[in-house]
Amino acid sequence: MTVRLLILGTGGMANNHAEGFAAIDGVDLVAGVDTRPAQLAAFCEKHNIANGFASVADALSWGGFDAVTNVTPDGAHFATTIPVLAAGKHVLCEKPLATNAADAEAMALAAARAGVVNMVNLTYRNGAALQRAAQMVAEGAIGKIRHFEASYLQSWLTQPAWGEWSTEPQWLWRLSSAHGSKGVLGDVGIHILDFATFIAGEAAVDVSARLATFDKVPDGRIGEYTLDANDSATMQIRLEGGALGVVHATRFASGHLNDLRLRIFGDLGGLEVRSDNHVSRLYACTGTDRLTASWTEVECPPTPSIYERFIAAIREGAPAIPDFARGAVLQRLLDRAEESARRDGLVLPV
């Protein structure tokens, strides 16, 4: 079955989507959509895409596609995805699903009503260590969850390994709420919250959060970008089974390009998941190893990419996980964390 794919948005991340989907047999990249004509034309030429449209409405009038991958900025996800769902097209949407819980829930409801494949791109679900850890927890390898700690550490505000943040729009928009950014909490906090609660197999029931935005340039502004989005986030979370955890994320972690950690402990053992610049590993302290506090690396089978899982779900009716419903759950948690921060870290139910 050939799947005709439209790419909505042609920014930096869209190149990853184009390359990932193009590598799958039977997937045709048939169209791109962007309001910027020059960027759209360059993107379509680069990826050998025949059709380009200035709006979702124009693309839907044409209609020559089966599925959409939405790589627009966060603030555009809701407005661009709803009409695509109404047209009965399958959708993979970048994270976060929306910029508030009401919109995310509306997107999840619209997807369910449309009966189409719907997925949110929580890229670290691709990690073999994460998947194996979740399986071990579900199988009871560490017993009842009692405590966890999780972090997502980046350093692109302290060094230019990925480019100079102060001169490149792909980084500046992530620092500006007026450009749709929810700061580090929405950008990478959503990953570590999914990372932790997915492996634990339990939902968060309450959260306390603190957010910080630091002075980076005089007057806090570069050109059209007001740098007011949060740069660091800390959270305390209680899971439905009673376990307590701490979660933090920042863009100021020198020495860490793009690193996630989860240490999770039950009454029968512990697991540690490390993802260092997209290389993941899993370590376990279970059974008699607990007596000597010894940790052993666990072999983890490879996991299909989000692009492969999306296409498989369309072709075969395979489980479309993580779906929009999961994206909405995470957005509710993000919203409550933001509200908690506005209220000086007050513990709020999710």
Side-chain angles (χ1 to χ4, degrees):
M1 172 186 174
T2 297
V3 177
R4 300 169 300 169
L5 186 75
L6 178 144
I7 300 178
L8 179 52
T10 63
M13 189 64 184
N15 290 293
N16 294 356
H17 284 239
E19 292 165 5
F21 280 116
I24 303 171
D25 288 343
V27 175
D28 289 345
L29 306 183
V30 297
V33 175
D34 204 300
T35 57
R36 300 162 296 181
Q39 181 157 329
L40 174 63
F43 180 83
C44 289
E45 180 179 3
K46 178 179 180 179
H47 298 288
N48 196 28
I49 297 172
N51 302 284
F53 301 96
S55 70
V56 172
D58 288 346
L60 289 173
S61 294
W62 170 65
F65 59 99
D66 309 300
V68 170
T69 186
N70 190 337
V71 206
T72 59
D74 303 351
H77 290 174
F78 175 77
T80 54
T81 297
I82 289 294
V84 170
L85 292 171
K89 307 296 185 180
H90 308 291
V91 183
L92 168 65
C93 185
E94 265 299 329
K95 57 75 198 168
L97 188 58
T99 56
N100 61 74
D103 285 352
E105 288 162 359
M107 292 168 72
L109 179 60
R113 287 175 173 169
V116 297
V117 172
N118 57 97
M119 298 181 73
V120 58
N121 189 20
L122 298 166
T123 51
Y124 293 95
R125 291 288 188 100
N126 300 336
L130 176 144
Q131 295 291 340
R132 182 71 180 108
Q135 181 184 18
M136 290 179 68
V137 171
E139 292 171 348
I142 64 172
K144 295 181 179 178
I145 305 302
R146 298 303 190 209
H147 187 84
F148 67 94
E149 57 183 48
S151 63
Y152 193 141
L153 305 178
Q154 292 182 328
S155 57
W156 56 265
L157 284 175
T158 70
Q159 49 72 29
W162 297 343
E164 179 50 60
W165 69 265
S166 63
T167 61
E168 298 184 17
Q170 65 173 324
W171 305 117
L172 285 168
W173 84 262
R174 296 176 187 272
L175 305 175
S176 170
S177 61
H179 289 77
S181 176
K182 302 290 277 187
V184 73
L185 179 65
D187 192 14
V188 304
I190 189 171
H191 282 306
I192 197 61
L193 290 170
D194 179 64
F195 204 80
T197 56
F198 174 69
I199 291 175
E202 298 181 15
V205 295
D206 60 43
V207 60
S208 168
R210 293 279 191 174
L211 303 176
T213 304
F214 300 103
D215 293 335
K216 294 175 281 294
V217 294
D219 301 321
R221 187 179 184 89
I222 297 177
E224 66 180 281
Y225 300 95
T226 298
L227 311 185
D228 60 346
N230 58 82
D231 301 311
S232 290
T234 63
M235 289 167 274
Q236 294 190 67
I237 290 173
R238 183 166 59 94
L239 300 180
E240 57 189 352
L244 298 180
V246 292
V247 179
H248 65 102
T250 185
R251 293 164 171 155
F252 279 98
S254 294
H256 297 273
L257 290 179
N258 198 59
D259 300 343
L260 290 82
R261 293 283 191 278
L262 172 70
R263 296 202 294 174
I264 186 165
F265 306 100
D267 55 7
L268 298 178
L271 298 175
E272 180 172 354
V273 183
R274 305 178 190 171
S275 179
D276 298 328
N277 211 19
H278 301 291
V279 176
S280 65
R281 292 182 173 85
L282 171 63
Y283 301 85
C285 179
T286 57
T288 57
D289 282 347
R290 289 180 293 152
L291 302 178
T292 56
S294 300
W295 291 80
T296 303
E297 186 167 0
V298 178
E299 185 175 350
C300 302
T303 301
S305 72
I306 184 71
Y307 312 119
E308 293 169 318
R309 300 200 310 275
F310 180 61
I311 298 302
I314 294 171
R315 287 174 170 165
E316 306 161 13
I321 298 171
D323 59 10
F324 279 18
R326 174 63 174 173
V329 166
L330 292 169
Q331 192 61 53
R332 285 195 293 272
L333 179 52
L334 290 173
D335 281 12
R336 296 302 269 171
E338 280 191 310
E339 183 181 352
S340 170
R342 287 193 296 268
R343 300 171 70 177
D344 295 325
L346 181 69
V347 176
L348 297 176
V350 177

Short mmCIF file of all heavy atoms in Angstrom, two decimals, residues 117-162:
data_model
loop_
_atom_site.label_atom_id
_atom_site.label_comp_id
_atom_site.label_asym_id
_atom_site.label_seq_id
_atom_site.Cartn_x
_atom_site.Cartn_y
_atom_site.Cartn_z
N VAL A 117 -5.69 7.35 11.96
CA VAL A 117 -4.48 7.16 12.75
C VAL A 117 -3.99 8.53 13.22
O VAL A 117 -3.88 9.46 12.41
CB VAL A 117 -3.39 6.46 11.93
CG1 VAL A 117 -2.06 6.43 12.69
CG2 VAL A 117 -3.82 5.05 11.57
N ASN A 118 -3.74 8.65 14.51
CA ASN A 118 -3.25 9.91 15.06
C ASN A 118 -2.15 9.62 16.05
O ASN A 118 -2.30 8.79 16.94
CB ASN A 118 -4.39 10.71 15.71
CG ASN A 118 -5.09 9.93 16.81
OD1 ASN A 118 -4.79 10.09 17.99
ND2 ASN A 118 -6.03 9.06 16.44
N MET A 119 -1.01 10.30 15.88
CA MET A 119 0.13 10.09 16.75
C MET A 119 0.81 11.42 17.04
O MET A 119 0.76 12.34 16.22
CB MET A 119 1.13 9.12 16.11
CG MET A 119 0.59 7.72 15.86
SD MET A 119 1.81 6.60 15.12
CE MET A 119 2.88 6.29 16.53
N VAL A 120 1.43 11.49 18.21
CA VAL A 120 2.21 12.67 18.57
C VAL A 120 3.67 12.25 18.66
O VAL A 120 3.98 11.16 19.16
CB VAL A 120 1.71 13.29 19.90
CG1 VAL A 120 1.78 12.30 21.06
CG2 VAL A 120 2.49 14.55 20.25
N ASN A 121 4.56 13.08 18.13
CA ASN A 121 5.97 12.69 17.99
C ASN A 121 6.75 12.91 19.28
O ASN A 121 7.49 13.89 19.41
CB ASN A 121 6.62 13.44 16.83
CG ASN A 121 8.01 12.89 16.54
OD1 ASN A 121 8.33 11.77 16.91
ND2 ASN A 121 8.83 13.68 15.87
N LEU A 122 6.61 11.99 20.20
CA LEU A 122 7.43 11.96 21.40
C LEU A 122 8.64 11.09 21.06
O LEU A 122 8.64 9.88 21.25
CB LEU A 122 6.64 11.40 22.58
CG LEU A 122 5.41 12.24 22.95
CD1 LEU A 122 4.49 11.47 23.89
CD2 LEU A 122 5.83 13.56 23.58
N THR A 123 9.68 11.72 20.54
CA THR A 123 10.76 11.00 19.86
C THR A 123 11.48 10.00 20.76
O THR A 123 12.01 9.00 20.26
CB THR A 123 11.80 11.99 19.30
OG1 THR A 123 12.20 12.88 20.34
CG2 THR A 123 11.22 12.79 18.16
N TYR A 124 11.51 10.24 22.06
CA TYR A 124 12.26 9.33 22.92
C TYR A 124 11.54 8.01 23.15
O TYR A 124 12.14 7.08 23.71
CB TYR A 124 12.64 10.04 24.22
CG TYR A 124 13.63 11.14 23.92
CD1 TYR A 124 13.20 12.45 23.73
CD2 TYR A 124 14.97 10.84 23.72
CE1 TYR A 124 14.11 13.44 23.38
CE2 TYR A 124 15.88 11.83 23.37
CZ TYR A 124 15.45 13.13 23.21
OH TYR A 124 16.33 14.10 22.84
N ARG A 125 10.29 7.90 22.68
CA ARG A 125 9.65 6.59 22.64
C ARG A 125 10.38 5.65 21.68
O ARG A 125 10.19 4.44 21.72
CB ARG A 125 8.18 6.73 22.19
CG ARG A 125 7.27 7.40 23.18
CD ARG A 125 6.97 6.51 24.38
NE ARG A 125 5.95 7.12 25.23
CZ ARG A 125 4.67 6.77 25.22
NH1 ARG A 125 4.25 5.81 24.40
NH2 ARG A 125 3.81 7.35 26.03
N ASN A 126 11.21 6.21 20.79
CA ASN A 126 11.99 5.39 19.87
C ASN A 126 13.15 4.68 20.58
O ASN A 126 13.75 3.76 20.02
CB ASN A 126 12.58 6.23 18.74
CG ASN A 126 11.52 6.92 17.91
OD1 ASN A 126 10.39 6.48 17.85
ND2 ASN A 126 11.88 8.02 17.27
N GLY A 127 13.47 5.12 21.78
CA GLY A 127 14.63 4.58 22.48
C GLY A 127 14.40 3.16 22.97
O GLY A 127 13.42 2.88 23.66
N ALA A 128 15.32 2.27 22.62
CA ALA A 128 15.18 0.87 23.02
C ALA A 128 15.21 0.72 24.54
O ALA A 128 14.49 -0.11 25.11
CB ALA A 128 16.29 0.05 22.38
N ALA A 129 16.04 1.51 25.23
CA ALA A 129 16.14 1.40 26.68
C ALA A 129 14.84 1.80 27.36
O ALA A 129 14.41 1.17 28.33
CB ALA A 129 17.29 2.28 27.19
N LEU A 130 14.19 2.85 26.86
CA LEU A 130 12.90 3.27 27.42
C LEU A 130 11.87 2.17 27.27
O LEU A 130 11.14 1.84 28.23
CB LEU A 130 12.43 4.56 26.73
CG LEU A 130 11.06 5.09 27.13
CD1 LEU A 130 11.07 6.62 27.14
CD2 LEU A 130 9.97 4.61 26.19
N GLN A 131 11.77 1.57 26.11
CA GLN A 131 10.77 0.54 25.87
C GLN A 131 11.03 -0.69 26.75
O GLN A 131 10.10 -1.27 27.31
CB GLN A 131 10.76 0.15 24.39
CG GLN A 131 10.31 1.27 23.46
CD GLN A 131 8.84 1.62 23.61
OE1 GLN A 131 8.05 0.85 24.12
NE2 GLN A 131 8.48 2.81 23.14
N ARG A 132 12.28 -1.08 26.87
CA ARG A 132 12.61 -2.25 27.69
C ARG A 132 12.36 -1.96 29.16
O ARG A 132 11.86 -2.83 29.91
CB ARG A 132 14.07 -2.65 27.47
CG ARG A 132 14.50 -3.89 28.25
CD ARG A 132 13.87 -5.15 27.70
NE ARG A 132 14.27 -6.32 28.46
CZ ARG A 132 13.47 -6.99 29.30
NH1 ARG A 132 12.20 -6.64 29.44
NH2 ARG A 132 13.93 -8.04 29.96
N ALA A 133 12.68 -0.75 29.61
CA ALA A 133 12.44 -0.39 31.01
C ALA A 133 10.94 -0.44 31.33
O ALA A 133 10.54 -0.95 32.38
CB ALA A 133 13.00 1.00 31.30
N ALA A 134 10.11 0.11 30.44
CA ALA A 134 8.67 0.09 30.66
C ALA A 134 8.16 -1.35 30.74
O ALA A 134 7.29 -1.67 31.56
CB ALA A 134 7.97 0.84 29.54
N GLN A 135 8.71 -2.21 29.89
CA GLN A 135 8.31 -3.62 29.91
C GLN A 135 8.70 -4.27 31.24
O GLN A 135 7.90 -5.02 31.83
CB GLN A 135 8.98 -4.34 28.75
CG GLN A 135 8.61 -5.83 28.67
CD GLN A 135 9.37 -6.55 27.56
OE1 GLN A 135 10.40 -6.07 27.07
NE2 GLN A 135 8.88 -7.70 27.17
N MET A 136 9.91 -3.99 31.72
CA MET A 136 10.37 -4.59 32.98
C MET A 136 9.52 -4.13 34.15
O MET A 136 9.17 -4.93 35.03
CB MET A 136 11.85 -4.24 33.21
CG MET A 136 12.79 -4.93 32.25
SD MET A 136 14.53 -4.48 32.53
CE MET A 136 14.84 -5.25 34.14
N VAL A 137 9.16 -2.85 34.18
CA VAL A 137 8.30 -2.34 35.25
C VAL A 137 6.94 -3.03 35.20
O VAL A 137 6.40 -3.47 36.23
CB VAL A 137 8.15 -0.82 35.17
CG1 VAL A 137 7.08 -0.32 36.14
CG2 VAL A 137 9.49 -0.13 35.48
N ALA A 138 6.38 -3.14 34.00
CA ALA A 138 5.07 -3.77 33.84
C ALA A 138 5.10 -5.23 34.27
O ALA A 138 4.10 -5.77 34.78
CB ALA A 138 4.61 -3.65 32.39
N GLU A 139 6.24 -5.88 34.08
CA GLU A 139 6.38 -7.29 34.45
C GLU A 139 6.69 -7.48 35.94
O GLU A 139 6.80 -8.61 36.41
CB GLU A 139 7.48 -7.93 33.62
CG GLU A 139 7.13 -8.06 32.13
CD GLU A 139 8.31 -8.49 31.27
OE1 GLU A 139 9.46 -8.48 31.78
OE2 GLU A 139 8.09 -8.82 30.09
N GLY A 140 6.84 -6.37 36.67
CA GLY A 140 7.07 -6.46 38.12
C GLY A 140 8.51 -6.60 38.53
O GLY A 140 8.80 -6.96 39.68
N ALA A 141 9.45 -6.30 37.62
CA ALA A 141 10.87 -6.53 37.91
C ALA A 141 11.38 -5.72 39.10
O ALA A 141 12.31 -6.16 39.79
CB ALA A 141 11.71 -6.21 36.68
N ILE A 142 10.81 -4.53 39.34
CA ILE A 142 11.27 -3.73 40.48
C ILE A 142 10.17 -3.55 41.53
O ILE A 142 10.31 -2.77 42.46
CB ILE A 142 11.82 -2.36 40.04
CG1 ILE A 142 10.75 -1.49 39.39
CG2 ILE A 142 13.00 -2.54 39.09
CD1 ILE A 142 11.21 -0.06 39.12
N GLY A 143 9.09 -4.30 41.39
CA GLY A 143 8.03 -4.24 42.38
C GLY A 143 7.20 -2.97 42.28
O GLY A 143 7.05 -2.39 41.20
N LYS A 144 6.67 -2.53 43.40
CA LYS A 144 5.83 -1.33 43.43
C LYS A 144 6.70 -0.08 43.41
O LYS A 144 7.65 0.04 44.19
CB LYS A 144 4.95 -1.34 44.68
CG LYS A 144 3.93 -2.47 44.70
CD LYS A 144 3.07 -2.42 45.95
CE LYS A 144 2.05 -3.55 45.96
NZ LYS A 144 1.23 -3.54 47.20
N ILE A 145 6.38 0.85 42.53
CA ILE A 145 7.16 2.08 42.38
C ILE A 145 7.04 2.93 43.65
O ILE A 145 5.94 3.18 44.14
CB ILE A 145 6.69 2.90 41.17
CG1 ILE A 145 6.72 2.05 39.89
CG2 ILE A 145 7.56 4.15 40.99
CD1 ILE A 145 8.06 1.48 39.57
N ARG A 146 8.19 3.36 44.16
CA ARG A 146 8.22 4.18 45.37
C ARG A 146 8.81 5.58 45.15
O ARG A 146 8.42 6.53 45.81
CB ARG A 146 9.03 3.47 46.46
CG ARG A 146 8.47 2.13 46.91
CD ARG A 146 7.05 2.26 47.41
NE ARG A 146 6.58 1.03 48.05
CZ ARG A 146 5.31 0.67 48.07
NH1 ARG A 146 4.40 1.42 47.45
NH2 ARG A 146 4.94 -0.43 48.69
N HIS A 147 9.75 5.69 44.20
CA HIS A 147 10.46 6.97 44.04
C HIS A 147 11.09 7.02 42.66
O HIS A 147 11.46 5.99 42.09
CB HIS A 147 11.56 7.08 45.11
CG HIS A 147 12.25 8.41 45.14
ND1 HIS A 147 11.75 9.49 45.83
CD2 HIS A 147 13.40 8.84 44.56
CE1 HIS A 147 12.56 10.53 45.67
NE2 HIS A 147 13.56 10.16 44.90
N PHE A 148 11.21 8.24 42.11
CA PHE A 148 11.92 8.39 40.84
C PHE A 148 12.50 9.79 40.73
O PHE A 148 12.07 10.73 41.41
CB PHE A 148 11.00 8.11 39.64
CG PHE A 148 9.89 9.11 39.45
CD1 PHE A 148 10.05 10.18 38.59
CD2 PHE A 148 8.69 8.97 40.13
CE1 PHE A 148 9.03 11.11 38.40
CE2 PHE A 148 7.66 9.89 39.95
CZ PHE A 148 7.83 10.96 39.08
N GLU A 149 13.50 9.91 39.88
CA GLU A 149 14.07 11.21 39.55
C GLU A 149 14.39 11.23 38.07
O GLU A 149 14.88 10.24 37.51
CB GLU A 149 15.32 11.51 40.39
CG GLU A 149 16.42 10.48 40.28
CD GLU A 149 17.59 10.81 41.20
OE1 GLU A 149 17.34 11.09 42.38
OE2 GLU A 149 18.73 10.78 40.72
N ALA A 150 14.07 12.34 37.42
CA ALA A 150 14.22 12.41 35.97
C ALA A 150 14.72 13.80 35.57
O ALA A 150 14.36 14.80 36.19
CB ALA A 150 12.88 12.12 35.28
N SER A 151 15.55 13.83 34.53
CA SER A 151 16.08 15.11 34.07
C SER A 151 16.25 15.11 32.56
O SER A 151 16.46 14.07 31.95
CB SER A 151 17.43 15.42 34.73
OG SER A 151 18.40 14.45 34.35
N TYR A 152 16.13 16.32 31.99
CA TYR A 152 16.44 16.53 30.57
C TYR A 152 17.36 17.75 30.53
O TYR A 152 16.94 18.86 30.84
CB TYR A 152 15.15 16.79 29.77
CG TYR A 152 15.35 16.72 28.26
CD1 TYR A 152 14.38 16.14 27.46
CD2 TYR A 152 16.48 17.22 27.63
CE1 TYR A 152 14.54 16.05 26.07
CE2 TYR A 152 16.66 17.14 26.26
CZ TYR A 152 15.68 16.56 25.48
OH TYR A 152 15.85 16.49 24.12
N LEU A 153 18.60 17.51 30.15
CA LEU A 153 19.63 18.55 30.21
C LEU A 153 20.15 18.88 28.82
O LEU A 153 20.62 18.01 28.09
CB LEU A 153 20.79 18.09 31.10
CG LEU A 153 20.41 17.66 32.52
CD1 LEU A 153 21.65 17.19 33.28
CD2 LEU A 153 19.71 18.79 33.27
N GLN A 154 20.06 20.16 28.47
CA GLN A 154 20.63 20.70 27.24
C GLN A 154 21.52 21.89 27.59
O GLN A 154 21.44 22.44 28.69
CB GLN A 154 19.54 21.16 26.28
CG GLN A 154 18.68 20.06 25.71
CD GLN A 154 17.64 20.61 24.73
OE1 GLN A 154 17.15 21.72 24.86
NE2 GLN A 154 17.31 19.81 23.72
N SER A 155 22.34 22.31 26.63
CA SER A 155 23.27 23.42 26.91
C SER A 155 23.39 24.40 25.76
O SER A 155 24.37 25.12 25.67
CB SER A 155 24.66 22.85 27.25
OG SER A 155 25.14 22.04 26.19
N TRP A 156 22.37 24.46 24.88
CA TRP A 156 22.54 25.32 23.70
C TRP A 156 22.48 26.81 24.01
O TRP A 156 22.80 27.64 23.15
CB TRP A 156 21.58 24.95 22.59
CG TRP A 156 20.11 24.92 22.88
CD1 TRP A 156 19.37 23.83 23.23
CD2 TRP A 156 19.18 26.00 22.75
NE1 TRP A 156 18.03 24.16 23.35
CE2 TRP A 156 17.90 25.49 23.06
CE3 TRP A 156 19.30 27.35 22.41
CZ2 TRP A 156 16.75 26.29 23.06
CZ3 TRP A 156 18.15 28.14 22.40
CH2 TRP A 156 16.90 27.61 22.72
N LEU A 157 22.17 27.18 25.27
CA LEU A 157 22.27 28.58 25.67
C LEU A 157 23.66 28.92 26.21
O LEU A 157 23.93 30.08 26.53
CB LEU A 157 21.21 28.93 26.71
CG LEU A 157 19.79 29.10 26.17
CD1 LEU A 157 18.80 29.33 27.31
CD2 LEU A 157 19.70 30.24 25.16
N THR A 158 24.54 27.92 26.30
CA THR A 158 25.88 28.18 26.82
C THR A 158 26.98 27.87 25.81
O THR A 158 28.16 28.16 26.07
CB THR A 158 26.17 27.34 28.09
OG1 THR A 158 26.28 25.96 27.74
CG2 THR A 158 25.07 27.53 29.12
N GLN A 159 26.64 27.28 24.66
CA GLN A 159 27.64 26.94 23.65
C GLN A 159 26.95 26.75 22.29
O GLN A 159 25.75 26.48 22.25
CB GLN A 159 28.43 25.70 24.05
CG GLN A 159 27.59 24.51 24.49
CD GLN A 159 26.84 23.83 23.38
OE1 GLN A 159 27.30 23.84 22.25
NE2 GLN A 159 25.71 23.23 23.69
N PRO A 160 27.69 26.92 21.19
CA PRO A 160 27.06 26.91 19.86
C PRO A 160 27.18 25.59 19.11
O PRO A 160 27.30 25.58 17.88
CB PRO A 160 27.83 28.01 19.14
CG PRO A 160 29.23 27.87 19.69
CD PRO A 160 29.06 27.47 21.14
N ALA A 161 27.15 24.44 19.79
CA ALA A 161 27.32 23.15 19.11
C ALA A 161 26.26 22.94 18.03
O ALA A 161 26.52 22.29 17.02
CB ALA A 161 27.29 22.01 20.12
N TRP A 162 25.06 23.47 18.26
CA TRP A 162 23.97 23.32 17.28
C TRP A 162 23.73 24.61 16.49
O TRP A 162 22.76 24.72 15.75
CB TRP A 162 22.68 22.93 17.98
CG TRP A 162 22.74 21.61 18.68
CD1 TRP A 162 23.66 20.62 18.50
CD2 TRP A 162 21.83 21.14 19.68
NE1 TRP A 162 23.38 19.55 19.31
CE2 TRP A 162 22.27 19.84 20.05
CE3 TRP A 162 20.70 21.67 20.29
CZ2 TRP A 162 21.60 19.08 21.01
CZ3 TRP A 162 20.03 20.92 21.24
CH2 TRP A 162 20.48 19.63 21.59
#
